[in-house]
């Protein structure tokens, strides 16, 4: 299932820390470590799932990968070359190669633009296609994500959450990127819509060979779409491996706790699962201190 | 921007105020043609005359025609306002956009300075600068414009700062958009609505500023007419001849009023103000049985009934359309037994939260809640008054909400909020209430209770804050606890602890628990019986063990199939086709029929009744047919 | 808490220094020459030079500045070129007038604005709210100096209830002082009250949408208690902000209104000084006004800390 792949993007030993608000004018600054010794490789055509709870640093890592977050240490490489966003030529290539889809389908589309304009914008910025080619591509993208031609002239507020997320995906694909960072793309959607969107993402990957960095807090969702999974806890990647391996034979206590904490819709096993979760939580607390 | 015309509809104030201002601009522009007399030369033989056929608004102390001076004054006022607002926008808008987007030390310094300027008395700042430049209308108004530019800058900077955090701006950065493009295409449209409103009201204040400065002798210089210096002239002789003081004042008043009304109208058009509040929540009203509805079995589905709801409906007014109501929940009936844990499950827009809030009398006004009957502990609530609902909340019904950090008041300590109900409603002394509150924090396992009582909500983590909410809801020892998505806002590892706590407290107190959730896992973990809602109605109910393992409604089956499970994947993911319909747009027939793989043509017509089955019910025409609901292949 | 107060007070000092410096150089840059006012029309260059030498205006601007600043530190703000009265004395007489009007106006605006704003918010969208909002919009549009004129004509000239002009110091009788400032305070306070009413309304409406209000209702508290104890305090922060701005506005507005009532307050002093160019007086006015406003800002910051515990802690 996972043939050896060329690394498309790699994050090497990244550290990020944020200054806390000073408690008083005279007090010294204190720092919050958001990312510590984080390394991650995403292969071409591969999906890497990134799992963690709030404050684990997964969104900061997403911002690092997208070149939105300055690093205190470490590097990001695209096809082996260091990404230097101070140089216009590398910036241009990088901005075309890496796109993003965010969690909130309501905030991620400009409410004053039509769908056609939204889909056109990344290509206009890339500046490689003629107006006619861009128009064709907009129609092609709309078809890909299941929008009709007459919906292109509408505004985002006229769509449901699931449809907006399809538009956001189409926009991310517009400049034919190599990697799309998906930051909790289905967390805000209803369960019955989630699998539609995941299915769409998979079909796109099968036809275009695009890579995904898929971020979520729900291991079960991540497992179904990812080739590899990385688990984050308190700014570190505590476990990384093949998706099925991480989920079936987790090695880190936190991964085990996370897996045991996920509820299952089977009422016959819930009592047993509960006991298992409590046991793991106690074991975890003994080793790492209270979690909350 | 194209959203605008739709929003402008039905706002008479905009065309009326706008029309008046257009007329005023026209009159000012054509002053030499419109004014009946020369504004600066008067007939000294006819000073201070009352209105007459020749001088409609009389003459001033120098015998000049007041109407003509008002007309020319309009010219001065509008021109002056244009200068001030123009200067303000030309300086303030670009500076605010750039500072708001770029941030950094330049932003901090400019902002401090701007705050300083705005904190100074406006007139004094203007006078100081006029001291440097010397008096004169345009110089004065340019100075006013500079002071206003600071206001524009602060507004634009603030709005830009907020818009900069919008995901679509981040999206544009990721796509490689240039700063100029982001400012022009993404941030400017976001800033525009509030800027337009500010500019409109700034015209109003500029007109007052011009009049004020001219009145003080710093603006328009005599003999030129300005509404301000006309008032100054009139004041000289006001004790003898009061009338000349009226027209300029009225002119200022009406013009300022028109600009302000226009500004208010535009603001309302851009951002519809939410006016309904939970303060005015209406108690449920009684509805007569509807003969067109199929007769529903009213036999209790819980053994020892605490709550019995029959035919509950909730409607909200359609946004922006006066008189049209949108149903959110229609004809919902269910029971909750004493000591029973019931789960109400559904997706967004299913009406599950509204149903639960209706039970507690907490659906914000102006929503209308109706039911054929709601009994609580034998008391009929349909047709009752707000006071009874309040008494019920004070003692018998406790509520826990989804996001504990929003549900707790940020300005008061946890102790104050936790003891409030005990003191005010249950008449405990402050000391007793504090002791009881501390005991409750112990019971929900918050360590160091007495110290925590003195802390504010923002000093609590989400999980700890939810424990506080639970303590608050339970401190009155209610017979029913309603928990509305109590773990949705929390981390997965915290979720289990909160569910454990709820289960434990339910067992200890013997209360009934109604838990609202979208998560089948929560249902399986906690509940005995489950009610499934879709598109505002109950589609299935039954014992959790039965429903989750053998659903009888296709929607329930589809929902269960599409829950992601931590199992090795085989084949495509199961899903339900189509989208959840918006509230009120449910169409004819079964509300699920267009997404249902088992739908027959008959499903698209009429209404579907809830079919009672052993231990449950299902709202499906094909109840009784042998459907392969659990077959994963159906849901691919 | 004490630390916050001390920090804020320490920050005020550099601000005063900056404002004074700016005030001085603005005065020095002015093209209006005091010699023109003193000498009358068409003076000879020699006469002008003599006046300049006498006033010390022939020396470098920086020398003038340090001399002025040295005096300012010891409380000597110079003297008027025309009356030769020390600026501190002049302002000490004028400031009580303006402060009386500002506080009177503030009181009126709060008495008018808070009840109307709360009334409107609690009936948001309904008839009572629409009537109240309409009234607020109307009275906000009434220019304060015109209102002053109408009040004089009606209550002073026609009815004779209040004096039409002049200010009686509080030391000469509280009753006369009150009678003297009633009409000007009304003229000032009415439109400011409209702003307070609007802000109170929108802040309270916003608070009533918050989830914590629903929590309070869910506890079975009465409407009166939910609004009175909780919601009003939550709504206070934006209202306090607008009130602080209003104080500045009232202070500025009193410049016009005191002229209307022929009171010799801050504004009259300021305008006379500007029109004749009396540099020490202009600078004194700015420095003292800035100091007053900074005190207001300080009070504002402290009340934020009171109303919003998050500020208090960080």
């Amino acid at each position: 299932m996972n043939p050896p792949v060329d690394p498309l993007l790699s994050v090497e030993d990244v550290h990020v820390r944020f200054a806390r608000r000073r408690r008083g004018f005279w007090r010294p600054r204190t720092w919050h470590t958001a990312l510590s010794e984080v390394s991650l490789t995403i292969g071409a055509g591969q999906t890497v799932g990134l799992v963690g709870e709030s404050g684990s640093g997964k969104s900061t890592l997403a911002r690092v990968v997208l070149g939105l977050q300055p690093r205190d240490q470490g590097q990001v490489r695209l096809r082996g070359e260091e990404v230097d966003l101070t140089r216009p030529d590398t910036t241009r290539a990088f901005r075309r190669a890496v796109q993003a889809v965010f969690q909130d389908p309501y905030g991620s589309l400009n409410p004053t633009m039509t769908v056609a304009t939204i889909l056109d914008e990344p290509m206009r910025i890339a500046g490689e296609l003629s107006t006619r080619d861009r128009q064709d591509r907009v129609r092609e993208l709309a078809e890909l994500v299941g929008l009709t031609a007459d919906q292109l002239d509408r505004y985002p507020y006229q769509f449901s959450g699931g449809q907006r997320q399809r538009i956001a995906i189409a926009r991310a694909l517009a400049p034919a990127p190599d990697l799309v960072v998906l930051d909790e793309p289905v967390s805000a959607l209803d369960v019955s819509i989630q699998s539609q969107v995941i299915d769409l993402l998979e079909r796109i990957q099968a036809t275009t060979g695009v890579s995904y960095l898929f971020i979520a807090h729900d291991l079960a969702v991540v497992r179904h779409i990812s080739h590899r999974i990385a688990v984050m806890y308190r700014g570190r990647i505590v476990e990384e491996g093949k998706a099925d391996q991480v989920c079936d034979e987790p090695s880190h206590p936190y991964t085990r706790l996370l897996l045991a904490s996920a509820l299952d819709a089977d009422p016959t096993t819930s009592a047993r699962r509960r006991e298992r979760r409590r046991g793991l939580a106690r074991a975890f607390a003994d080793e790492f201190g209270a979690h909350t | 921007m194209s959203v605008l015309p739709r929003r402008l509809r039905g706002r008479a104030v905009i065309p009326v105020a706008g029309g008046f201002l257009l007329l005023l601009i026209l009159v000012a522009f054509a002053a030499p043609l419109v004014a009946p007399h020369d504004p600066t030369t008067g007939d000294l033989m006819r000073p201070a005359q009352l209105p007459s056929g020749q001088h409609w608004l009389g003459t001033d102390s120098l015998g000049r025609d007041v109407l003509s001076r008002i007309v020319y004054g309009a010219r001065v006022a509008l021109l002056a306002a244009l200068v001030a607002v123009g200067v303000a926008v030309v300086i303030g808008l670009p500076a605010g956009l750039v500072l708001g987007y770029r941030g950094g030390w330049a932003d901090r310094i400019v902002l401090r300075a701007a705050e300083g300027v705005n904190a100074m008395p406006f007139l004094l700042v203007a006078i100081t600068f006029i001291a440097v430049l010397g008096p004169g209308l345009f110089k004065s108004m340019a100075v006013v414009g500079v002071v206003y530019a600071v206001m524009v800058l602060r507004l634009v900077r603030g709005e830009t700062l907020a818009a900069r955090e919008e995901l679509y701006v981040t999206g544009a950065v990721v796509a490689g958009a240039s700063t100029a493009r982001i400012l022009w295409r993404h941030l400017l449209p976001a800033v525009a609505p509030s800027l337009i409103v500010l500019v409109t009201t700034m015209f109003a204040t500029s007109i007052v500023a011009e009049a004020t400065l001219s009145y003080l002798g710093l603006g328009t210089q005599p003999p030129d007419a300005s509404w301000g210096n006309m008032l100054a002239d009139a004041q000289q002789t006001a004790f003898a001849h009061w009338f000349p003081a009226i027209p300029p004042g009225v002119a200022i008043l009406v013009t300022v009023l028109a600009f302000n009304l226009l500004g208010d109208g535009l603001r309302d058009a851009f951002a519809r103000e939410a006016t309904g509040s939970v303060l005015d929540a209406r108690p449920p009203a009684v509805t007569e049985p509807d003969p067109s509805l199929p007769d529903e079995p009213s036999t209790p589905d819980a053994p020892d009934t605490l709550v019995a709801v029959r035919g509950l409906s909730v409607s909200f007014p359609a946004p922006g359309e006066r008189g049209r109501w949108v149903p959110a929940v229609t004809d919902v009936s269910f029971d909750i037994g004493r000591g029973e844990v019931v789960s109400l499950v559904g997706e967004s827009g299913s009406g599950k939260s509204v149903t639960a809030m209706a039970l507690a009398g907490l659906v914000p006004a102006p929503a209308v809640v109706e039911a054929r009957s709601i009994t609580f502990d034998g008391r009929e609530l349909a047709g009752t008054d707000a006071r009874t609902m309040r008494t019920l909340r004070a003692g018998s019904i406790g509520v826990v909400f989804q996001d504990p950090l929003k549900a707790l008041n940020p300005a008061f300590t946890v102790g104050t909020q936790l003891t409030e109900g005990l003191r005010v409603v249950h008449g405990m002394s402050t000391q007793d209430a504090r002791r009881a509150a501390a005991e409750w924090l112990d019971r929900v396992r918050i360590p160091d209770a007495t110290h925590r009582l003195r802390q504010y909500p923002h000093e609590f983590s989400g999980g700890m804050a939810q424990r506080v909410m639970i303590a608050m809801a339970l401190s009155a020892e209610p017979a029913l606890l309603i928990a509305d998505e109590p773990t949705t806002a929390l981390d997965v590892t915290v979720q289990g602890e909160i569910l454990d706590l709820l289960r434990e407290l339910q067992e200890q107190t013997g209360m009934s628990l109604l838990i609202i959730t979208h998560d089948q896992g929560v249902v399986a973990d906690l509940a005995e019986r489950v009610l499934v809602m879709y598109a505002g109605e109950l589609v299935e109910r039954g014992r959790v063990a039965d429903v989750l393992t053998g659903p009888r409604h296709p929607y329930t089956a589809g929902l269960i199939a599409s829950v992601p499970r931590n199992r090795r994947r085989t084949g495509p993911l199961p899903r339900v086709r189509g989208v959840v319909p918006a509230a009120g747009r449910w169409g004819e027939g079964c509300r699920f029929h267009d997404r249902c793989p088992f739908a027959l043509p008959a499903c698209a017509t009429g209404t579907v009744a809830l079919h009672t089955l052993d231990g449950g019910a299902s709202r499906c025409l094909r109840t009784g047919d042998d459907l392969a609901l659990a077959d994963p292949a159906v849901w691919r | 808490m004490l630390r916050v107060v001390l920090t804020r007070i320490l920050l005020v000092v550099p601000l005063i220094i900056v404002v004074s410096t700016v005030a001085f150089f603005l005065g020095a840059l002015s093209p209006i020459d005091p010699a023109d006012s003193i000498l009358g029309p068409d003076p000879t260059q020699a006469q002008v030079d003599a006046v300049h030498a006498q006033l010390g205006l022939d020396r470098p601007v920086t020398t003038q500045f340090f001399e002025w600043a040295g005096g300012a530190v010891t409380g000597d703000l110079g003297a008027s070129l025309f009356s030769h009265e020390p600026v501190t004395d002049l302002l000490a007489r004028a400031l009580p007038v303006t402060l009386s009007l500002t506080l009177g106006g503030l009181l009126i605006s709060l008495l008018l604005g808070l009840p109307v704003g709360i009334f409107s918010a609690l009936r948001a969208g309904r008839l009572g709210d629409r009537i109240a909002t309409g009234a607020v919009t109307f009275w906000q549009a009434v220019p304060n100096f015109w209102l002053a004129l109408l009040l004089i004509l009606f209550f002073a000239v026609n009815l004779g209830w209040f004096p039409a002009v002049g200010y009686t110091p509080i030391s000469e009788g509280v009753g006369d002082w009150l009678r003297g400032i009633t009409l000007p305070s009304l003229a000032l306070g009415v439109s400011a009250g409209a702003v307070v009413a609007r802000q109170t309304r929108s802040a309270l409406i916003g608070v009533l949408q918050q989830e914590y209000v629903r929590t309070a209702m869910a506890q079975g508290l009465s409407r009166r208690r939910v609004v009175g104890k909780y919601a009003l305090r939550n709504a206070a922060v934006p209202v306090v902000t607008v009130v602080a701005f209003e104080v500045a506005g009232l202070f500025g507005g009193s410049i016009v209104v005191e002229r209307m009532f022929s009171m010799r307050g801050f504004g009259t002093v300021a305008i006379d000084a500007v029109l004749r160019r009396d540099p020490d007086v202009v600078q004194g006015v700015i420095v003292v006004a800035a100091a007053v406003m900074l005190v207001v800002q300080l009070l504002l910051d402290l009340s934020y800390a009171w109303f919003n515990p998050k500020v208090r802690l960080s």
Side-chain angles (χ1 to χ4, degrees), chain C residues 22-293:
Chain C
V22 171
F24 179 86
F25 284 101
L26 275 178
L29 285 172
S30 172
I32 307 172
D33 191 336
D36 294 345
S37 318
I38 293 172
L39 296 169
D42 301 323
T44 65
Q45 188 57 44
Q47 282 174 308
V48 172
D49 289 344
V51 170
H52 282 178
Q54 192 191 342
L55 298 177
L57 295 179
D58 53 346
R59 294 171 302 158
V61 177
T62 44
T63 316
Q64 293 179 47
F65 173 68
F66 283 113
E67 195 178 279
W68 177 79
V73 169
T74 58
D76 175 12
L77 291 170
S80 164
L81 287 184
F82 301 93
S83 67
H84 304 294
E85 193 183 2
V87 171
T88 40
D89 292 3
L90 202 66
L91 295 180
R93 254 188 306 116
L95 196 59
V97 181
T98 305
L99 283 183
S100 299
L101 297 193
T102 305
L103 289 179
L106 183 64
L107 191 69
I108 302 266
S109 71
L110 293 179
L111 286 178
L112 216 59
L114 291 177
V116 173
I118 294 168
F119 172 90
S120 266
L122 294 180
R123 280 162 194 73
R126 286 186 261 156
L127 186 65
D129 171 39
R130 270 185 255 149
I131 293 173
T133 308
V136 165
T137 310
F138 182 81
W139 91 55
Q140 188 177 16
V142 179
N144 54 25
F145 53 104
W146 185 55
L147 181 63
L149 190 57
L150 296 184
L151 289 172
I152 292 173
L153 286 176
F154 192 70
F155 288 103
V157 178
N158 223 348
L159 296 173
W161 291 356
F162 298 98
V165 290
Y167 170 83
T168 315
I170 196 164
S171 53
E172 290 174 26
V174 177
D176 285 346
W177 172 74
L178 266 180
R179 267 166 47 87
I181 66 163
T182 302
L183 291 186
S185 299
L186 262 178
L188 271 175
V190 163
S191 60
V195 178
V196 174
R198 272 164 178 272
Q199 187 65 54
T200 307
R201 176 181 179 275
S202 70
L204 190 52
I205 287 178
V207 166
L208 292 179
Q209 306 295 320
Q210 298 297 314
E211 291 184 22
Y212 50 76
V213 170
R214 189 172 61 171
T215 307
M217 290 292 284
Q219 282 182 283
L221 303 180
S222 66
R223 221 180 114 95
R224 176 185 291 268
R225 183 126 190 122
V226 172
V227 175
K229 174 161 181 185
Y230 292 97
L232 281 183
R233 176 144 159 201
N234 294 119
V237 171
V239 174
V240 169
T241 308
V242 83
V243 165
F245 272 105
E246 281 310 304
V247 172
L250 289 165
F251 197 92
S254 71
I255 294 174
V256 200
V257 170
E258 73 193 28
R259 217 171 145 88
M260 213 90 211
F261 285 86
S262 309
M263 295 178 169
R264 232 187 126 62
F266 227 65
T268 321
V269 171
I271 291 163
D272 287 352
V274 166
L275 290 178
R276 293 193 296 196
R277 195 187 170 216
D278 199 343
D280 285 6
V281 180
V282 172
Q283 287 145 24
V285 163
I286 295 169
V287 170
V288 173
V292 171
M293 289 310 130

Side-chain angles (χ1 to χ4, degrees), chain B residues 51-75:
Chain B
S52 64
Q54 200 189 347
H55 301 284
W56 289 3
L57 291 176
T59 60
D60 66 7
S61 56
L62 297 176
R64 296 173 294 197
D65 181 54
V66 172
L67 179 61
S68 304
R69 286 181 69 75
I70 292 279
V71 168
Y72 275 89
R75 201 179 220 196

Side-chain angles (χ1 to χ4, degrees), chain B residues 118-124 127-135 154 208 211-212 215-218 228 231 234-235 238-239 242 245-246 248-250 252-253 256-257 260-261 264 267 273-280 322 357 362 390 393-394 397 399 401 403 406-412 416-418 420-421 423-425 456 458-459 469 472 484, chain C residues 19 26-27 29-32 122 124-126 130 137-138 140-143 145-146 149-150 152-153 157 164-165 198 201-202 205 208-215 217-223 225-227 229-231 233-234 245 248-249 251-253 255-256 259-261 266 270-271 274-275 282 285-286 289-290 293 297 307-310 312-313:
Chain B
N118 270 179
M120 285 292 284
F122 160 71
L123 260 182
L124 205 65
I127 288 172
T128 309
F129 280 92
I130 291 166
V132 179
L133 298 171
R154 288 182 64 184
V208 175
T212 307
Y215 168 80
L216 292 173
L218 302 171
L231 268 176
Q235 192 196 359
F239 295 161
W242 57 271
I246 304 299
V250 172
I252 299 170
L253 176 84
V256 169
L257 194 60
N260 280 348
L261 286 173
D264 286 358
R267 192 192 50 213
E273 190 176 40
T275 49
S277 116
V278 73
L279 272 192
D280 302 308
R322 203 173 288 253
M357 288 305 125
L362 288 175
R390 171 154 80 83
R393 289 193 297 268
I397 298 181
V399 191
F401 300 103
D403 187 339
K406 283 185 186 157
L408 289 167
N409 194 321
F412 294 86
T416 308
Q417 297 179 65
L418 206 47
E420 178 78 10
R423 287 184 299 114
V424 178
V425 185
Y456 287 90
H458 67 265
E459 297 169 78
M469 277 302 294
M472 195 187 287
D484 187 1
Chain C
V19 170
L26 275 178
L29 285 172
S30 172
I32 307 172
L122 294 180
R126 286 186 261 156
R130 270 185 255 149
T137 310
F138 182 81
Q140 188 177 16
V142 179
F145 53 104
W146 185 55
L149 190 57
L150 296 184
I152 292 173
L153 286 176
V157 178
V165 290
R198 272 164 178 272
R201 176 181 179 275
S202 70
I205 287 178
L208 292 179
Q209 306 295 320
Q210 298 297 314
E211 291 184 22
Y212 50 76
V213 170
R214 189 172 61 171
T215 307
M217 290 292 284
Q219 282 182 283
L221 303 180
S222 66
R223 221 180 114 95
R225 183 126 190 122
V226 172
V227 175
K229 174 161 181 185
Y230 292 97
R233 176 144 159 201
N234 294 119
F245 272 105
F251 197 92
I255 294 174
V256 200
R259 217 171 145 88
M260 213 90 211
F261 285 86
F266 227 65
I271 291 163
V274 166
L275 290 178
V282 172
V285 163
I286 295 169
M293 289 310 130
Q297 278 294 313
F307 286 117
N308 184 354
K310 267 191 204 174
R312 204 183 310 168
L313 285 161

Side-chain angles (χ1 to χ4, degrees), chain A residues 76-284:
Chain A
V76 176
R77 291 180 190 277
L78 183 66
R79 298 186 195 289
E81 281 192 40
E82 194 181 332
V83 176
D84 178 2
L85 293 180
T86 55
R87 284 168 48 196
D89 54 328
T90 50
T91 304
R92 203 177 170 80
F94 178 78
R95 289 288 178 221
R96 201 190 62 81
V98 182
Q99 298 294 318
V101 174
F102 302 103
Q103 172 176 3
D104 174 18
Y106 290 87
S108 57
L109 304 176
N110 189 334
T112 63
M113 290 181 172
T114 62
V115 173
T117 321
I118 288 170
L119 298 186
D120 180 54
E121 188 180 32
M123 294 185 279
R124 183 190 279 267
I125 293 166
E128 290 166 2
L129 298 177
S130 69
T131 311
R132 176 174 291 275
D133 288 348
R134 292 207 314 267
Q135 281 169 353
D136 291 345
R137 175 105 177 114
V138 164
R139 271 193 294 276
E140 197 180 299
L141 287 164
E143 199 180 327
L144 182 69
V145 300
L147 294 172
T148 57
D150 61 309
Q151 284 177 320
L152 282 172
D153 294 326
R154 298 203 191 151
Y155 288 85
Y157 75 92
Q158 293 167 300
F159 293 89
S160 71
Q163 288 171 312
R164 285 172 190 233
Q165 208 59 308
R166 290 166 178 273
I167 299 170
I169 290 168
R171 177 186 59 182
L173 293 170
D178 300 318
L179 171 68
V180 179
V181 175
L182 304 153
D183 191 355
E184 304 252 10
V186 299
S187 306
L189 304 180
D190 277 319
V191 175
S192 70
I193 307 295
Q194 281 185 9
S195 22
Q196 295 178 1
V197 171
I198 291 175
D199 181 62
L200 172 68
L201 289 169
E202 287 183 328
R203 274 194 291 116
I204 290 165
Q205 189 171 53
T207 51
T208 64
V210 65
S211 302
Y212 294 137
L213 177 63
F214 189 101
I215 301 165
H217 60 271
D218 185 348
L219 251 176
V221 173
V222 173
R223 172 176 196 172
H224 291 311
I225 193 173
S226 305
H227 301 104
R228 299 183 72 80
I229 290 180
V231 181
M232 289 196 77
Y233 180 65
R234 293 192 177 167
R236 289 170 187 272
I237 291 180
V238 293
E239 177 159 6
E240 201 267 343
K242 284 184 184 170
D244 286 332
Q245 189 190 336
V246 170
C247 291
D248 290 337
E249 300 146 40
S251 63
H252 193 274
Y254 179 72
T255 316
R256 277 184 227 140
L257 178 63
L258 207 57
L259 280 163
S261 298
L263 299 167
D264 193 282
D266 186 352
T268 55
T269 59
S270 53
R272 206 175 64 228
R273 296 177 54 86
R274 212 147 49 219
E275 282 312 313
R276 188 177 143 68
R277 187 195 77 228
R278 288 185 195 142
L280 283 169
R282 268 193 302 275
F284 184 81

